[in-house]
Amino acid sequence: MSKKSKIIVTGGLGFIGSHTVVELFSEGYEVIIVDDLSNSSIDILKGITNIVKSDIIFEKIDLKNKISVKELFNKHKDISGIIHFAASKAIGESVIEPLKYYENNLGSLINILQEIENLNTNISFIFSSSCTVYGQALNLPIKEIESIKKAESPYGNTKQIGEEIIEDFCKSYNKIKSISLRYFNPIGAHPSIEIGELPIGKPENLIPFITQTAIGKREKLIVFGNDYPTQDGTCIRDYIHVIDLAKAHIKALERVLNPEQKSNYDVFNIGTGKGYSVMEVIKTFEKVSSHKLNYTIGPRRKGDIIEAYADTKKANKILDWHAKLSLEDAILSAWKWEKKLQEL
Ligand code: UD1
C-alpha cells in the first residue's frame, strides 16, 4: 500500500490511542507515536508492532515540556496531522489534583497548538473530547447542539476548555482544520488481543472493574445505585467498541485532510446511539463469559449522570461513519484481554 500522510498520535500507547494507531497504519498512514508512558506501558508498543508487523516510530516525550514539543515538531516538519489523545483521565483524581489536570491536559494542548502555528503549513488536528461536556442532557439521544453544562470535574472542564481553545485557535489561524470527537463510553480490545485497556491501580470504569472482578483481582463489583429513574434503576450509558471509535478518527482525519473541505472546526458525537443499563452490562458479561459475577448494589456515585446515549446522525451522515460492533463483541474482547493479562 502506498504511504499516505504522516500523522503524529499523542497518547498513542494509551487505550484509544493504540487502537487508532493500528487503524491508521492499516489505512496506509505513516504514524509517529508520542507518549510519556505516565499512564501507559511500553508493552503496548510491542502489541501494536505484533499486529501491524512493522516497526513504528515512538517518541517518549512529555508534552508539558515546551522545548521537547519544539524538538518534536522540528524533527517531523513534514507531518500532515495530529491526533491528540494525550491527557490525564481519572475523574476522581482530577478533583483531588485539579492543577495537575489543567497543566497536563491544557498546557500540553497549548504547547502543540503553538508549534502548529510555528510550522506555518496546513495541519489537520483531531481532539479527544468526551460526552462529559453535556452533563445530564435534557434531551435524549444527545445531539451535538445540546447545551454544554458546567463541568462536574476538573477533568470534564479540561475537555470543555480544550474544545474552546481549539475553536478559538481555528478562528485565528487559517492553516488548521480541526474536529473534536465527543466519545461516549469506550470499551473492548483489539480482536488480536495484542492491545487493550490497561488501567493503572483500581479501575474507575465499569468494564475493567467487571473483568478484574471476574478474574479474581477484585472481590466484587459495587453497582453505584439502583434507584435511578430508569427501567431497572441503574444508570444508562452508550458503550462503544474501541475499534469502532478508532475508525471514527480515521474518518474525521480524512475529512479535515481533504482540501475541498471548507469548515475548519466541527464537533461530532461518537457513540452507538443505544443505551444500556449497568445491570444489562452485567448480564451481557455473564452471558458472553459464562461467568457469574460477584456484585452488590451500593450507594450512588457522586457526580454520576442518570442516562447518556448519543444521537449519531451527524457522524453517520457527515463522516460516513457507523458503529458496527455490538455490546457482546466489545465485552467479549475485553474479557479475552483480561484473561490474557493474567497469563503474562
Ligand atoms: C466516565 C466519565 C467520562 C469518561 C468516561 C470514560 C463521569 C461523569 N464521566 O463516564 O467523562 O469519558 O468515564 O472513561 O465520570 N459503575 C458502577 N460500578 C463501578 C463503576 C461504574 O456501577 O465500579 C457504573 C457507573 O455508575 C455508571 C456506569 O457504570 O453508571 C459507567 O461508569 P464509568 O465506566 O465510570 O463511565 P461514566 O461514568 O459513564
Side-chain angles (χ1 to χ4, degrees):
M1 195 186 306
S2 67
K3 281 272 179 234
K4 289 190 191 166
S5 321
K6 197 179 207 183
I7 308 295
I8 288 181
V9 181
T10 76
L13 297 183
F15 175 39
I16 310 168
S18 57
H19 289 81
T20 303
V21 166
V22 169
E23 294 303 319
L24 280 168
F25 192 89
S26 64
E27 289 294 323
Y29 289 96
E30 191 176 338
V31 183
I32 296 147
I33 297 176
V34 173
D35 205 296
D36 67 356
L37 296 173
S38 63
N39 195 18
S40 57
S41 161
I42 195 69
D43 295 342
I44 294 293
L45 185 60
K46 180 92 181 33
I48 294 173
T49 50
N50 285 347
I51 298 170
V52 304
K53 300 194 172 39
S54 167
D55 285 338
I56 294 195
I57 302 170
F58 168 56
E59 305 274 9
K60 183 172 181 295
I61 284 173
D62 176 357
L63 295 164
K64 297 193 294 300
N65 184 326
K66 266 187 194 306
I67 295 167
S68 307
V69 178
K70 193 172 268 313
E71 283 167 2
L72 173 75
F73 277 74
N74 280 337
K75 194 165 159 191
H76 301 287
K77 284 198 173 74
D78 55 341
I79 54 163
S80 304
I82 298 160
I83 306 186
H84 181 48
F85 293 103
S88 303
K89 60 173 186 179
I91 319 273
E93 185 190 51
S94 81
V95 176
I96 298 162
E97 291 183 79
L99 299 185
K100 172 178 166 186
Y101 276 68
Y102 288 114
E103 184 186 28
N104 201 11
N105 296 4
L106 299 178
S108 303
L109 174 65
I110 291 168
N111 288 344
I112 293 169
L113 296 178
Q114 281 170 338
E115 288 311 317
I116 287 179
E117 196 167 25
N118 288 341
L119 265 187
N120 204 22
T121 55
N122 290 332
I123 287 284
S124 298
F125 188 81
I126 309 297
F127 180 60
S128 285
S129 189
S130 166
C131 67
T132 194
V133 301
Y134 300 116
Q136 179 57 67
L138 295 175
N139 307 293
L140 289 163
I142 304 172
K143 292 190 172 68
E144 289 82 353
I145 52 169
E146 181 71 28
S147 59
I148 303 294
K149 304 269 170 18
K150 180 168 166 39
E152 289 275 354
S153 68
Y155 159 79
N157 210 19
T158 65
K159 293 297 171 190
Q160 292 185 1
I161 300 170
E163 285 193 11
E164 287 172 4
I165 290 173
I166 296 163
E167 188 171 8
D168 287 342
F169 182 61
C170 287
K171 283 181 194 151
S172 77
Y173 179 68
N174 64 11
K175 288 188 176 166
I176 186 171
K177 281 197 280 176
S178 179
I179 285 178
S180 294
L181 297 178
R182 293 175 178 162
Y183 314 148
F184 281 67
N185 290 54
I187 62 166
H190 193 271
S192 65
I193 314 299
E194 289 283 354
I195 55 173
E197 191 169 5
L198 273 184
I200 292 183
K202 193 173 168 192
E204 285 193 13
N205 297 120
L206 180 61
I207 299 297
F209 211 104
I210 287 178
T211 56
Q212 288 197 6
T213 304
I215 209 104
K217 281 190 201 156
R218 312 266 152 214
E219 195 206 331
K220 66 175 157 195
L221 170 82
I222 313 285
V223 174
F224 296 143
N226 70 347
D227 57 350
Y228 286 99
T230 61
Q231 81 269 15
D232 61 19
T234 63
C235 294
I236 291 177
R237 296 288 185 276
D238 183 340
Y239 296 93
I240 174 158
H241 198 304
V242 66
I243 297 289
D244 277 330
L245 178 55
K247 288 182 194 291
H249 292 78
I250 315 297
K251 292 287 192 176
L253 185 67
E254 280 169 2
R255 179 171 168 83
V256 280
L257 283 172
N258 180 358
E260 306 288 301
Q261 169 47 47
K262 296 294 172 243
S263 149
N264 72 343
Y265 181 72
D266 213 343
V267 298
F268 293 92
N269 285 340
I270 304 295
T272 66
K274 181 151 173 39
Y276 288 95
S277 72
V278 177
M279 284 314 299
E280 285 175 318
V281 170
I282 292 173
K283 295 294 160 214
T284 306
F285 172 79
E286 290 185 332
K287 192 176 113 203
V288 301
S289 69
S290 309
H291 243 78
K292 190 95 198 75
L293 189 74
N294 189 19
Y295 68 88
T296 78
I297 308 295
R300 292 181 176 194
R301 178 171 70 177
K302 195 177 162 291
D304 257 342
I305 54 169
I306 306 166
E307 199 167 359
Y309 51 94
D311 184 318
T312 62
K313 283 193 204 76
K314 188 175 172 190
N316 298 157
K317 187 163 175 267
I318 299 180
L319 297 181
D320 184 28
W321 169 86
H322 295 83
K324 297 204 169 105
L325 298 164
S326 67
L327 183 69
E328 282 83 0
D329 294 331
I331 293 181
L332 184 59
S333 65
W335 177 232
K336 286 182 181 163
W337 170 248
E338 188 69 64
K339 286 195 287 190
K340 178 177 172 179
L341 288 179
Q342 198 191 31
E343 287 161 15
L344 295 178

